[in-house]
C-alpha cells in the first residue's frame, strides 16, 4: 500500500465538530490572543460594552430613577467566502499521513483502521487551514495580487485608518531607531503615551496586549537579557514563556517571514489595543456550499483536500488602538 484512495466529505455537524471547532475554540483560540466568533448568527456583530462611570444615587424614595444605559458599540464583520485547496503527490501524501500516525504511541502499525487514517488526514489539513486563517487575520489584503488576499486583515485596516482617523493614535519609526539596545522599550513607552485615555484606563481589566512583529519582540527580549539580575540570567538559560511590559503581555504575531513577500504593509510594527477590540469571525453553518472534502485523483495520482467556508475579521473602536510602524 503506497497511496490513500478513500474519499471523505464533511458537512453540517461533522464539518463543525471534526474540523473547525477544535481549531477555533478553547486553547487554540486563546493562542490567537483575540476574540474568535465561530458560527455566530449572521450578520456577525462585534460588540463592546462600556460601563457607566457613576451608577450610585441617593436613595430618596421608591420607583425607578436609573442612569443612562451603558454605552454599547457594534460593528458588523464583513464575511467573505474563501476556500483552501492543497494537493499532494500520492507518495508524498502517504508518507505525511503515516508520519502523523507513527508518532502516536498507541497505534498498532500492523492494523490501521479507517478511523486512524481519517484522524491523521484531518489533522494534516486542519493545521494548514489554521495557519492560513491566522496569517490572513493579521496581514490579509483583499486588493493584493498574491498570497493572503481572501479578506482584509487587522494590519491593513489599522494602517489605513491611522492615516485618516484622528481617534487612532499613530506614530512611525525608522530602521535606525531600532539600533538602540532599549529601542523596544522606548517604542512601547511612546505607544503607551500616545494611547487615548480610554485605552489606558482599560489596563486594570487585564485585556490589553502589545502585538508586535518578531524584530520588536527579539529586541525587547534582548534588553531584558542584558539586565544585571539573577532573574535575567536564569531567563537567558531557561527562556521566557511570555514577555510582559509594565504588566501588559507582549505578543509576537509571528508573521515577519510572511511580510517579506508583501510590499503593501510595514515590515515592523506595534499594535497596543484591548484584545476584545479585535475579532476573527468564521462561519460554516449559515451559508450554502460550506464543506471539507478529501479525495484521490487517479489521473494525476494526486491526493487533494478542499475546504469552503466564510471568514472575516475587523476591529471595533479606533480610540482603543495605539499604533506604531516602521516607515
Amino acid at each position: 500500500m503506497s497511496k490513500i484512495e478513500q474519499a471523505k466529505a464533511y458537512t453540517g455537524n461533522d464539518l463543525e465538530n471534526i474540523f473547525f471547532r477544535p481549531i477555533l475554540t478553547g486553547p487554540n483560540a486563546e493562542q490567537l490572543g483575540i476574540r474568535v466568533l465561530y458560527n455566530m448568527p449572521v450578520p456577525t456583530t462585534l460588540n463592546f460594552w462600556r460601563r457607566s462611570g457613576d451608577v450610585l444615587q441617593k436613595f430618596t424614595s421608591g420607583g425607578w430613577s436609573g442612569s443612562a444605559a451603558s454605552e454599547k458599540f457594534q460593528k458588523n464583520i464583513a464575511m467573505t467566502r474563501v476556500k483552501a485547496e492543497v494537493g499532494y503527490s500520492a507518495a508524498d501524501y502517504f508518507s505525511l499521513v503515516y508520519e502523523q500516525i507513527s508518532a502516536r504511541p498507541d497505534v498498532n502499525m500492523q492494523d490501521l483502521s479507517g478511523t486512524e487514517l481519517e484522524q491523521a488526514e484531518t489533522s494534516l489539513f486542519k493545521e494548514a487551514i489554521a495557519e492560513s486563517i491566522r496569517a490572513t487575520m493579521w496581514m490579509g489584503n483583499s486588493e493584493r495580487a498574491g498570497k493572503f488576499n481572501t479578506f482584509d486583515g487587522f494590519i491593513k485596516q489599522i494602517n489605513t485608518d491611522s492615516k485618516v482617523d484622528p481617534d487612532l493614535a499613530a506614530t512611525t519609526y525608522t530602521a535606525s531607531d531600532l539600533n538602540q539596545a532599549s529601542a523596544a522599550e522606548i517604542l512601547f513607552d511612546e505607544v503607551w503615551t500616545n494611547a487615548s485615555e480610554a485605552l489606558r484606563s482599560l489596563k486594570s481589566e487585564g485585556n490589553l496586549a502589545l502585538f508586535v512583529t518578531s524584530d520588536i519582540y527579539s529586541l525587547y527580549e534582548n534588553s531584558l537579557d542584558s539586565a544585571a539580575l539573577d532573574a535575567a540570567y536564569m531567563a537567558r538559560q531557561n527562556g521566557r514563556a511570555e514577555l510582559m511590559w509594565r504588566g501588559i503581555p507582549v505578543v509576537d504575531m509571528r508573521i515577519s517571514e510572511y511580510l517579506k513577500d508583501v510590499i503593501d504593509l510595514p515590515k515592523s510594527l506595534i499594535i497596543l489595543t484591548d484584545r476584545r477590540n479585535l475579532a476573527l469571525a468564521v462561519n460554516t453553518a449559515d451559508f450554502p456550499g460550506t464543506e471539507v472534502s478529501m479525495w484521490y485523483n487517479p489521473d494525476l495520482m494526486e491526493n487533494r483536500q478542499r475546504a469552503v467556508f466564510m471568514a472575516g475579521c475587523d476591529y471595533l473602536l479606533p480610540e482603543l488602538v495605539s499604533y506604531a510602524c516602521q516607515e
Side-chain angles (χ1 to χ4, degrees), residues 89-100:
S89 72
D92 290 343
Y93 189 72
F94 178 83
S95 298
L96 285 168
V97 170
Y98 267 66
E99 182 180 351
Q100 295 269 340

Side-chain angles (χ1 to χ4, degrees), residues 16-309:
E16 175 177 340
N17 296 327
I18 295 175
F19 260 88
F20 285 94
R21 188 164 293 281
I23 64 176
L24 295 172
T25 59
N28 289 318
E30 292 172 6
Q31 289 175 9
L32 294 176
I34 64 165
R35 295 168 66 180
V36 178
L37 308 177
Y38 177 57
N39 276 354
M40 296 294 287
V42 178
T44 302
T45 303
L46 175 59
N47 300 287
F48 193 98
W49 290 84
R50 180 176 295 166
R51 61 177 180 268
S52 300
D54 181 16
V55 297
L56 297 180
Q57 303 178 47
K58 292 182 178 179
F59 185 86
T60 56
S61 62
W64 174 258
S65 56
S67 61
S70 299
E71 291 184 275
K72 179 177 68 172
F73 301 91
Q74 291 185 319
K75 187 176 186 180
N76 288 342
I77 299 178
M79 302 287 286
T80 304
R81 193 175 190 187
V82 302
K83 69 175 180 177
E85 292 182 330
V86 183
Y88 302 90
S89 72
D92 290 343
Y93 189 72
F94 178 83
S95 298
L96 285 168
V97 170
Y98 267 66
E99 182 180 351
Q100 295 269 340
I101 296 172
S102 62
R104 290 169 45 194
D106 59 332
V107 172
N108 179 3
M109 295 298 293
Q110 304 303 316
D111 183 24
L112 293 176
S113 68
T115 300
E116 287 165 337
L117 284 173
E118 182 175 351
Q119 289 175 346
E121 286 188 83
T122 57
S123 176
L124 185 67
F125 199 22
K126 280 191 293 187
E127 291 172 5
I129 293 173
E131 177 60 13
S132 186
I133 291 175
R134 187 194 69 80
T136 306
M137 170 190 78
W138 285 115
M139 52 178 295
N141 183 347
S142 59
E143 299 175 351
R144 181 188 301 136
K147 297 180 179 180
F148 309 112
N149 62 359
T150 48
F151 57 90
D152 289 338
F154 296 126
I155 297 175
K156 180 200 172 180
Q157 297 172 49
I158 291 173
N159 193 52
T160 301
D161 292 348
S162 69
K163 297 175 175 60
V164 297
D165 197 323
D167 290 331
L168 197 158
T171 186
T172 58
Y173 53 90
T174 64
S176 60
D177 292 329
L178 302 179
N179 293 332
Q180 304 178 63
S182 57
E185 296 178 72
I186 293 171
L187 290 172
F188 291 166
D189 188 70
E190 186 172 355
V191 167
W192 175 259
T193 302
N194 291 340
S196 66
E197 192 62 39
L199 177 56
R200 291 200 298 267
S201 69
L202 294 173
K203 181 180 178 182
S204 61
E205 298 185 20
N207 287 302
L208 294 191
L210 282 156
F211 295 99
V212 303
T213 44
S214 298
D215 61 330
I216 302 296
Y217 190 90
S218 296
L219 281 173
Y220 184 51
E221 189 166 30
N222 290 339
S223 70
L224 296 178
D225 287 343
S226 64
L229 298 170
D230 289 343
Y233 175 77
M234 292 302 297
R236 285 201 300 269
Q237 300 294 314
N238 303 322
R240 297 177 176 87
E242 182 180 46
L243 300 188
M244 305 285 286
W245 179 80
R246 297 183 183 177
I248 301 173
V250 180
V251 181
D252 186 352
M253 292 185 283
R254 296 182 287 117
I255 57 171
S256 295
E257 188 66 27
Y258 298 137
L259 285 172
K260 294 178 183 177
D261 298 327
V262 301
I263 61 173
D264 52 85
L265 295 177
K267 299 298 184 287
S268 175
L269 58 99
I270 301 168
I271 300 172
L272 171 65
T273 190
D274 189 293
R275 296 177 188 268
R276 298 167 295 182
N277 196 39
L278 307 177
L280 166 71
V282 175
N283 194 295
T284 61
D286 297 320
F287 298 91
T290 55
E291 65 168 356
V292 168
S293 55
M294 296 181 285
W295 70 98
Y296 175 68
N297 184 321
D299 294 335
L300 298 179
M301 298 181 66
E302 183 178 68
N303 284 89
R304 294 178 174 179
Q305 300 172 325
R306 173 186 291 144
V308 179
F309 55 98

